Amino acid sequence: MPTRREFLKQTSVLAAGAILYKNNFAVNLLAKPKVIILGAGLSGLAAGKILIENGIDVTILEARSRIGGRVFSHTIEEKDKLVIELGGEWIGRSHERILALCKEMNLELINNEFDDRLIYDNKFYQPSEWDYSPEWKEKFSRIIADYQTMTDDQKKILDKMDWWRFLMNNDISQKDLDLREYSDSTDFGESIRFVSAYAALAEYAESDENNEMDLKVKGGNVQIANALAGRIGNEKILLGRKVSSVDHGSAIKITCSNGEKFECDKLICSLPTYSMSKIAWTPGLPADKTAAINELQYSRINKSATLFKERFWKDEAFSIITDTLSHYFYHASKNQNSPKGVLISYAIGDKADILYSFDKTDRENFVADSLEVAFGNVRDLIEDNVNYYWGTDEYSKGAYALYGKGQWFNVMPVLKEKMNNVYFSGEHIADWQGFMEGAVETGEDAAKEILS
C-alpha cells in the first residue's frame, strides 16, 4: 500500500507533449497560456512563482486585503516587535518544499519546539512528571510498527472508523485516552471522535517524533508569502477581488463581486472548499465534486494570544496541555528578544466555539484562571489579549481541512481532480494535509501540470 504521499501523487496524471526543462519543471513549447490563480495563500503563490519563472502570464486574484491566506503573522507588541502566528505555525523538519523555499529565499528558520507540561484533574505536572502508561507506550509502538505492513484493504477499513474508536478497540486506559484526546486533538483541530483513524495513524507513523512541530520563520511565517510575492511581482497580485462566478467553457471567464472581469486559458483554484462553494460555476461542478466539497469540514481552532509583562514561565520551550477550555498553551514569542512574552491558548472544536464567545476581559480572566494551578495569580501581569477564531473566518470557516471517517480515500481524490482547464490546489488535497508544506506542494504540482 502506498503512503499518503505516494497515494496522492498517483492521483495526478501529467499531460505529455514537447517539453523544455527549466528549473527542473516541464515547459510546453507549443503555447504559453494565460493563467489566473484564485487565492494568494501559500498554495497560489507557490504556483505563481513557478509559472512566472517559466515565462507564463499570471494574475492572482485574492479576496482578502492581504496575502498569505491562513498564514497570518501579527505584531502584538510594537516596541519590541513581538510577532506571533494567528494562523499557520509550524514547519516540520521533513517538510522538504518549505525548507527548500526558505533556503532559496534566504529566510531564517528558528526553533519552535516545545516541552509539554500537563494540567490534569487540577494538578500541574512538569515535562518529566507525566507520560503515557508503560503498557500503552509499548502497545502504541506495536501499532506504529504494524502500520508499515498494512495492506490497501486494511487501510481502507481503518479509514472507516474514527481515531477514538480505534484507540478504544486497542484497550487504551481512560487516562491514556484522555491524554491522547488533549494531545491529538491539538493536531487535528477537533476531538479525536471526528478524525479518520487512518488519517490519524498515518500522520503519526509518517511524521517525525515532534509530529513536524519543529520550526518557524524568524519575523513571522508571512515572510514566506512576502518572498513569493516578490518573485511573482506584487503588480500581478490583485487584492480585494472576491470571485463570484467562473465560466470554464472554451475560454475561462471570471467575474468578481466588484464587477471586474478577467479571462484566461487555464485556472488554478487554490481556495478552501467553503470559498469554492460560493462561486457560481458554469458549467456546474460535477455532482461528485459538489458532494465532496459539501462533505469536507474544516477544524475549529481559536488562538487567544495573551501578552504578559514578564515571562514568568521561565522556559523558552514552555507549553502546557490542559484539560480546561484553554486546551493548549505554548510560548508564542519564543526566541524573540523582550522581557515581555506571549502565551497562546490554542483551543479546538467546541472549546474554541465557547472561548470565541467571550469578550476580551473574560478571555483574559479565563487564561489567568487556567494558569493559576501552575503559577498562582498572574492577572496583574496581563498587558493585552488578541483573539482569532478560524471557525468564523469569512473565507475558510475553519483553520484547515479535517478528514473524518471514510473520507481520505473517497473525498480527497475527487477534490483533487482537474476539471477541463481548471486545476485545484491547497492543503486540503495534500499529503502533508493541514500544514503549510502541503499548500506549497500542491500549488507547485498544479503549476507543473500546466507546464507539462
Side-chain angles (χ1 to χ4, degrees):
M1 178 72 176
T3 65
R4 291 182 302 166
R5 172 169 293 186
E6 291 165 342
F7 168 75
L8 293 173
K9 292 294 185 187
Q10 290 169 6
T11 64
S12 294
V13 179
L14 301 182
I19 53 174
L20 164 70
Y21 285 99
K22 179 180 179 182
N23 298 328
N24 296 320
F25 295 107
V27 182
N28 194 325
L29 287 173
L30 301 178
K32 287 190 176 181
K34 177 177 176 55
V35 179
I36 287 180
I37 299 171
L38 305 186
L42 293 195
S43 186
L45 293 170
K49 173 180 178 289
I50 288 176
L51 293 171
I52 286 287
E53 287 174 345
N54 285 280
I56 302 297
D57 182 7
V58 172
T59 300
I60 301 180
L61 304 179
E62 170 56 52
R64 300 180 194 269
S65 60
R66 59 174 179 83
I67 64 171
R70 283 167 283 161
V71 174
F72 186 15
S73 304
H74 173 74
T75 302
I76 193 171
E77 210 282 340
E78 292 289 345
K79 182 175 179 291
D80 291 343
K81 294 182 172 56
L82 292 181
V83 179
I84 60 172
E85 305 299 336
L86 294 177
E89 180 87 30
W90 282 279
I91 296 169
R93 298 188 192 279
S94 300
H95 291 174
E96 297 174 1
R97 288 309 308 139
I98 284 277
L99 294 176
L101 278 176
C102 289
K103 183 177 181 180
E104 177 188 343
M105 299 184 291
N106 297 313
L107 298 177
E108 182 180 349
L109 294 170
I110 57 177
N111 184 284
N112 203 32
E113 297 171 342
F114 296 97
D115 295 325
D116 291 339
R117 284 80 174 157
L118 173 70
I119 293 176
Y120 182 72
D121 196 20
N122 207 36
K123 295 179 182 177
F124 175 62
Y125 301 88
Q126 295 288 351
S128 61
E129 297 174 340
W130 73 279
D131 203 346
Y132 297 105
S133 69
E135 295 79 13
W136 175 249
K137 290 172 69 175
E138 181 181 351
K139 183 175 290 187
F140 194 65
S141 293
R142 290 200 304 270
I143 289 170
I144 294 295
D146 289 345
Y147 170 85
Q148 310 303 330
T149 60
M150 276 189 175
T151 66
D152 294 18
D153 288 341
Q154 287 174 324
K155 289 184 176 182
K156 289 177 180 178
I157 290 170
L158 186 59
D159 187 47
K160 293 180 179 179
M161 76 174 76
D162 62 64
W163 187 227
W164 177 87
R165 172 57 61 187
F166 176 84
L167 296 172
M168 291 292 289
N169 287 353
N170 279 278
D171 299 320
I172 189 172
S173 73
Q174 185 59 53
K175 183 175 181 181
D176 287 327
L177 182 64
D178 288 344
L179 296 180
R180 288 224 70 103
E181 170 68 58
Y182 306 144
S183 179
D184 296 358
S185 61
T186 304
D187 297 329
F188 301 109
E190 290 284 348
S191 168
I192 61 175
R193 292 174 181 263
F194 302 136
V195 180
S196 155
Y198 170 74
L201 183 55
E203 176 157 330
Y204 295 126
E206 296 175 15
S207 297
D208 67 17
E209 62 181 352
N210 295 317
N211 196 34
E212 309 302 330
M213 297 170 67
D214 299 315
L215 307 164
K216 67 189 293 186
V217 176
K218 184 176 182 179
N221 290 330
V222 76
Q223 301 300 330
I224 303 171
N226 292 338
L228 288 169
R231 297 292 181 90
I232 294 165
N234 289 298
E235 73 282 0
K236 299 284 188 180
I237 304 169
L238 307 182
L239 303 179
R241 268 66 167 195
K242 183 179 181 180
V243 173
S244 56
S245 68
V246 173
D247 183 333
H248 57 102
S250 56
I252 299 175
K253 299 177 181 179
I254 301 162
T255 303
C256 295
S257 58
N258 65 1
E260 282 187 271
K261 297 181 184 296
F262 301 86
E263 290 191 15
C264 62
D265 302 303
K266 295 181 183 291
L267 177 72
I268 297 176
C269 179
S270 71
L271 304 177
T273 56
Y274 176 77
S275 287
M276 287 172 55
S277 73
K278 295 304 178 183
I279 295 173
W281 298 86
T282 306
L285 298 177
D288 60 345
K289 192 175 285 286
T290 298
I293 287 170
N294 290 334
E295 285 180 43
L296 186 64
Q297 294 194 40
Y298 279 55
S299 58
R300 295 171 293 170
I301 290 175
N302 188 86
K303 282 191 164 186
S304 187
T306 304
L307 175 66
F308 292 92
K309 298 174 184 176
E310 63 181 62
R311 301 183 184 189
F312 55 84
W313 50 89
K314 307 301 182 186
D315 183 2
E316 287 291 286
F318 176 83
S319 60
I320 311 179
I321 296 170
T322 85
D323 58 3
T324 70
L325 285 178
S326 296
H327 193 76
Y328 180 61
F329 285 102
Y330 65 91
H331 180 198
S333 52
K334 181 181 179 181
N335 295 322
Q336 297 182 55
N337 187 26
S338 173
K340 299 178 182 180
V342 181
L343 294 182
I344 281 184
S345 163
Y346 181 108
I348 60 93
D350 292 341
K351 295 177 180 179
D353 272 337
I354 293 170
L355 283 176
Y356 167 69
S357 70
F358 291 177
D359 63 22
K360 182 177 179 179
T361 299
D362 287 339
R363 285 196 306 271
E364 291 177 350
N365 287 336
F366 189 81
V367 165
D369 289 343
S370 298
L371 294 170
E372 187 167 5
V373 66
F375 298 106
N377 188 352
V378 296
R379 279 180 177 79
D380 292 342
L381 297 177
I382 295 176
E383 189 169 301
D384 197 8
N385 177 275
V386 174
N387 198 78
Y388 198 85
Y389 180 41
W390 286 96
T392 57
D393 181 80
E394 182 179 357
Y395 303 105
S396 64
K397 299 300 181 185
Y400 43 79
L402 173 76
Y403 278 88
K405 57 185 180 181
Q407 292 189 326
W408 187 268
F409 295 101
N410 298 315
V411 170
M412 185 184 283
V414 176
L415 292 173
K416 191 181 179 77
E417 288 173 0
K418 72 182 287 286
M419 182 177 63
N420 297 327
N421 284 315
V422 179
Y423 303 75
F424 296 92
S425 70
E427 61 80 21
H428 60 288
I429 58 172
D431 174 53
W432 286 117
Q433 182 266 315
F435 284 101
M436 293 178 283
E437 172 78 357
V440 167
E441 195 170 51
T442 58
E444 291 182 339
D445 285 347
K448 289 164 64 177
E449 193 169 357
I450 286 175
L451 292 169
S452 65

